[in-house]
Amino acid sequence: MRAERPELETPILMPTQKTKTDSARPRIRHLVVVLGDQLARDSSALEDFDPAQDAVWMAEVSDESTHVASAKQRTVLFLSAMRHFAQELRTDGIRVLYRAMSNDVAATPDSTLSGELTAVLHAHSVQRVRMVEPGEYRLLIALRSAVEDCNIPLDLLEDGHFLCSRAEFAAHAKGRKQLRMEYFYREMRRKHGVLMEGDGPNSNSAPVGGEWNYDAQNRRAFPASGPGFVPDTPRFAPDAITQEVMALVNTRFASNPGSVASFGWPVTRQQALEVLHSFIAQRLPDFGHWQDAMWAGQPWLYHAHISSALNLKLLNPREVINAAEAAHTDGNAALAAVEGFIRQVLGWREFVRGIYHLKMPEYGDMNALQADAELPDFYWSGDTDMRCLNDAITQTLEHGYAHHIQRLMVTGLYALLLGVQPRQIHAWYLGVYVDAVEWVELPNVLGMSQFADGGMMASKPYAATGKYIDRMSNYCAGCRYNPALRTGEKACPFTTLYWDFLDRHEKRLASNPRMALQVKNLARIAAPEMAQIRQQAAALRNPDTRVKA
Ligand code: FAD
Ligand code: SF4
């Protein structure tokens, strides 16, 4: 049965639409631009909204699904969440000008956000445009110029969904030779009074429990019997709106990666809250122990699965942090688990955003290790004999999700060791994950996983042999390769490439105090074996010889 069309006030505005004379154009005092990752009712752009004079503008455009090959689930998530949000605004009496995309390319041709914004500004007499600053640099530039070109005043507002503003991060960074997440995180804990002894923010008192970091108690591997019973995360059957979007995506973006079949991500705030509450009650208590552990065929484990909801602004990071802290105060979760989780949201998430805005646009072009290999084709299919990569990529294409260690120490690590061009691996990550938006994806990929920024994000490359993967998962047990071998037919490609990586970058890495020991071990490898490693690594890097492995 065909899904019912969502009730959208949809004057579909083409960029080619003729400009009417000023007196004939409908008047709008404030046109509030809401982008697909700005779906927050408490948005600063909606403060002072007057339904009698103002309107919200939202647009679905093909360019956002094609400028990198956006996985089908990612596009479904954005479009469905946008349509649900528009419907909610309308229910509350807010006028929404919504440019919907349809299956019919002739009726809704391919377009860009800036093109559509220009069209709507020509079609209406708009006094001011109000917009929360876009998270992505590309859109900030494009949308700002579109408004400026129409000679309309623009209010660019601070994004209140972050605990650290751009200006605060710039102040934190000023005068520091190196930026390190740990110091930033402690500042944020103090400033926001999170897991601190004493009352309120800016307290000079000690961290709760006396330590800032409980990693030593966290990050275990599962026992040989595996994770056992893991409480489920709520998944949501597609409603009529989501079904219509799924049909649209399957037709219009048929050749984009992945499949929509398993779609169950939260597309409304209500659903996002359900996911959050289920995590806090059922999986947070075990989050710390298992946050780095992997297990074949188990994509979800003890993670929160809230990144897409956070990035679309269906959830506010403050409420996430408060809920986790309350679980500790109420005695429902140990401090180590709660601190480990809060570090991700208050620490890493805010830190990577700060780096992104501080360093763009140059950041996107960095390639400190001069990596020049092509991304292997199997990243788009999962078709490889390397069991760890097969599992991480297959689940990514199926669900648009892999957890942090799979991203960093499986798909990211292989690309780092192989020496894949940073822009290629960046486009892959930005396309395939449902939570991928550039301000968080780019520093994680270019900085943390590929060391392409030369050490702005991480103090050393996350380089390891297959033995790390063996320690943290059951992948190697069922793989045709052996993580302990670096040469020969059964050598694990990660292990071969690790030694080759150290060899290729020896000079640079030897001067990094955190890598010096690893680099020294190169000297223990006899010349004939090193020659063999180089030869095997070259074959892995060569698109003609690497085929599946
Ligand atoms: P959990 O493991 O349960 O963590 C809780 C929350 O902490 C996450 O929802 C997320 O909001 C935050 N968080 C954790 N680690 C990070 C981090 N390194 N940076 C920023 N926030 C963090 N996260 C994205 O949101 N979008 C991306 O496109 C993205 N790309 C990544 C690419 C690479 C190479 C790596 C190494 C990490 C990437 N991350 C990205 C960070 C992290 O892997 C995901 O946020 C996390 O896996 C999402 O799943 P979860 O909600 O179950 O997270
Ligand atoms: Fe991955 Fe190597 Fe282990 Fe195979 S042996 S699963 S390729 S780390």
Side-chain angles (χ1 to χ4, degrees):
M1 202 175 76
R2 191 176 173 280
E4 207 179 301
R5 187 165 179 75
E7 213 199 291
L8 297 170
E9 182 194 326
T10 313
I12 293 171
L13 300 159
M14 305 302 160
T16 48
Q17 191 162 339
K18 291 231 164 50
T19 309
K20 296 177 190 161
T21 58
D22 230 32
S23 57
R25 294 190 299 166
R27 284 189 166 279
I28 294 173
R29 185 188 65 146
H30 294 159
L31 185 75
V32 176
V33 171
V34 173
L35 301 176
D37 63 349
Q38 298 180 338
L39 309 180
R41 288 307 302 271
D42 59 357
S43 160
S44 43
L46 290 169
E47 279 169 19
D48 309 326
F49 190 91
D50 178 358
Q53 313 181 68
D54 302 337
V56 162
W57 176 77
M58 299 174 74
E60 299 174 3
V61 297
S62 57
D63 184 52
E64 292 304 306
S65 296
T66 53
H67 80 276
V68 293
S70 175
K72 295 191 182 82
Q73 288 219 12
R74 178 173 179 263
T75 302
V76 169
L77 173 70
F78 272 83
L79 299 189
S80 174
M82 285 169 70
R83 289 184 183 197
H84 281 92
F85 188 72
Q87 192 178 55
E88 195 187 306
L89 292 177
R90 285 217 178 85
T91 307
D92 290 352
I94 290 178
R95 184 175 170 216
V96 184
L97 302 177
Y98 194 101
R99 196 270 185 186
M101 206 169 15
S102 73
N103 294 350
D104 184 354
V105 182
T108 56
D110 289 340
S111 62
T112 61
L113 275 170
S114 54
E116 293 300 334
L117 182 57
T118 304
V120 85
L121 293 176
H122 284 162
H124 295 76
S125 169
V126 174
Q127 276 177 28
R128 297 190 84 77
V129 174
R130 288 172 73 76
M131 168 166 66
V132 167
E133 51 190 1
E136 189 170 342
Y137 185 81
R138 171 186 65 97
L139 286 178
L140 172 66
I141 300 300
L143 297 179
R144 196 167 54 193
S145 344
V147 180
E148 277 168 11
D149 290 349
C150 293
N151 286 321
I152 296 173
L154 169 67
D155 299 326
L156 260 185
L157 306 163
E158 182 85 49
D159 193 335
H161 264 238
F162 292 94
L163 286 95
C164 181
S165 70
R166 291 187 195 186
E168 281 171 308
F169 192 85
H172 165 85
K174 198 163 177 208
R176 286 176 197 259
K177 269 203 199 139
Q178 277 192 331
L179 295 173
R180 289 293 165 253
M181 199 289 287
E182 185 64 34
Y183 301 115
F184 169 77
Y185 167 63
R186 290 180 190 183
E187 243 178 61
M188 294 294 282
R189 291 250 313 256
R190 283 200 190 93
K191 183 161 183 202
H192 294 279
V194 176
L195 290 179
M196 298 298 295
E197 299 287 0
D199 298 329
N202 291 320
S203 142
N204 283 326
S205 63
V208 167
E211 305 286 340
W212 291 102
N213 184 324
Y214 290 89
D215 274 355
Q217 294 175 42
N218 289 334
R219 308 186 158 189
R220 302 184 196 160
F222 291 122
S225 55
F229 170 76
V230 183
D232 278 344
T233 284
R235 304 279 293 170
F236 305 92
D239 65 3
I241 292 179
T242 304
Q243 284 177 37
E244 183 167 41
V245 169
M246 286 162 80
L248 157 66
V249 168
N250 271 335
T251 316
R252 192 148 178 167
F253 304 107
S255 58
N256 281 30
S259 140
V260 301
S262 73
F263 189 88
W265 293 102
V267 292
T268 64
R269 174 160 166 77
Q270 216 42 48
Q271 292 176 345
L273 284 170
E274 221 182 291
V275 174
L276 172 64
H277 293 149
S278 126
F279 168 71
I280 298 286
Q282 300 186 49
R283 295 188 308 287
L284 174 61
D286 290 305
F287 174 84
H289 294 161
W290 312 126
Q291 63 180 302
D292 287 3
M294 301 176 277
W295 202 259
Q298 299 241 16
W300 310 114
L301 295 169
Y302 285 90
H303 293 269
H305 318 126
I306 54 168
S307 47
S308 58
L310 271 169
N311 297 349
L312 265 53
K313 316 287 158 52
L314 298 175
L315 290 176
N316 191 313
R318 287 178 187 79
E319 70 190 331
V320 171
I321 292 164
N322 290 344
E325 193 171 8
H328 170 60
T329 318
D330 299 345
N332 296 328
L335 181 57
V338 170
E339 189 284 312
F341 176 74
I342 288 180
R343 166 182 296 267
Q344 310 307 317
V345 182
L346 181 62
W348 280 111
R349 189 169 185 271
E350 299 283 335
F351 183 70
V352 301
R353 176 181 183 255
I355 297 250
Y356 177 82
H357 288 299
L358 196 67
K359 303 293 179 188
M360 281 300 277
E362 295 78 16
Y363 198 81
D365 292 323
M366 295 188 88
N367 186 0
L369 298 180
Q370 291 165 348
D372 59 2
E374 299 286 321
L375 184 72
D377 289 345
F378 64 69
Y379 271 70
W380 299 106
S381 66
D383 186 13
T384 167
D385 290 345
M386 290 179 273
R387 191 167 177 233
C388 52
L389 278 161
N390 168 279
D391 191 70
I393 295 171
T394 307
Q395 75 167 67
T396 294
L397 297 173
E398 188 178 348
H399 303 297
Y401 179 83
H403 71 67
H404 186 69
I405 290 302
Q406 292 177 303
R407 297 187 205 197
L408 183 63
M409 299 307 287
V410 179
T411 43
L413 175 60
Y414 195 73
L416 168 76
L417 299 178
L418 200 65
V420 173
Q421 295 167 37
R423 288 216 70 90
Q424 285 195 21
I425 189 72
H426 153 60
W428 183 79
Y429 276 100
L430 188 57
V432 296
Y433 289 107
V434 289
D435 57 27
V437 280
E438 196 182 82
W439 62 262
V440 53
E441 174 274 336
L442 189 67
N444 269 300
V445 174
L446 248 76
M448 192 188 292
S449 90
Q450 303 300 299
F451 206 68
D453 65 3
M456 285 176 192
M457 266 283 288
S459 53
K460 70 180 192 70
Y462 282 86
T465 66
K467 284 191 201 163
Y468 172 84
I469 294 174
D470 193 26
R471 200 164 56 245
M472 298 310 296
S473 74
N474 66 339
Y475 288 137
C476 303
C479 183
R480 67 172 256 213
Y481 299 110
N482 180 342
L485 299 181
R486 54 193 174 208
T487 54
E489 212 186 301
K490 285 199 159 296
C492 165
F494 283 82
T495 305
T496 308
L497 288 168
Y498 167 82
W499 292 107
D500 176 72
F501 176 84
L502 292 188
D503 180 47
R504 285 190 293 122
H505 299 294
E506 183 176 3
K507 209 163 151 210
R508 177 182 195 115
L509 298 179
S511 63
N512 180 329
R514 295 199 61 207
M515 286 299 289
L517 201 65
Q518 274 171 276
V519 175
K520 257 191 185 165
N521 286 333
L522 268 178
R524 297 179 184 202
I525 302 178
E529 195 189 359
M530 200 61 232
Q532 175 77 26
I533 289 172
R534 287 187 197 120
Q535 196 184 6
Q536 276 193 228
L540 288 165
R541 209 168 288 113
N542 180 343
D544 295 331
T545 48
R546 69 181 171 209
V547 198
K548 288 186 179 184

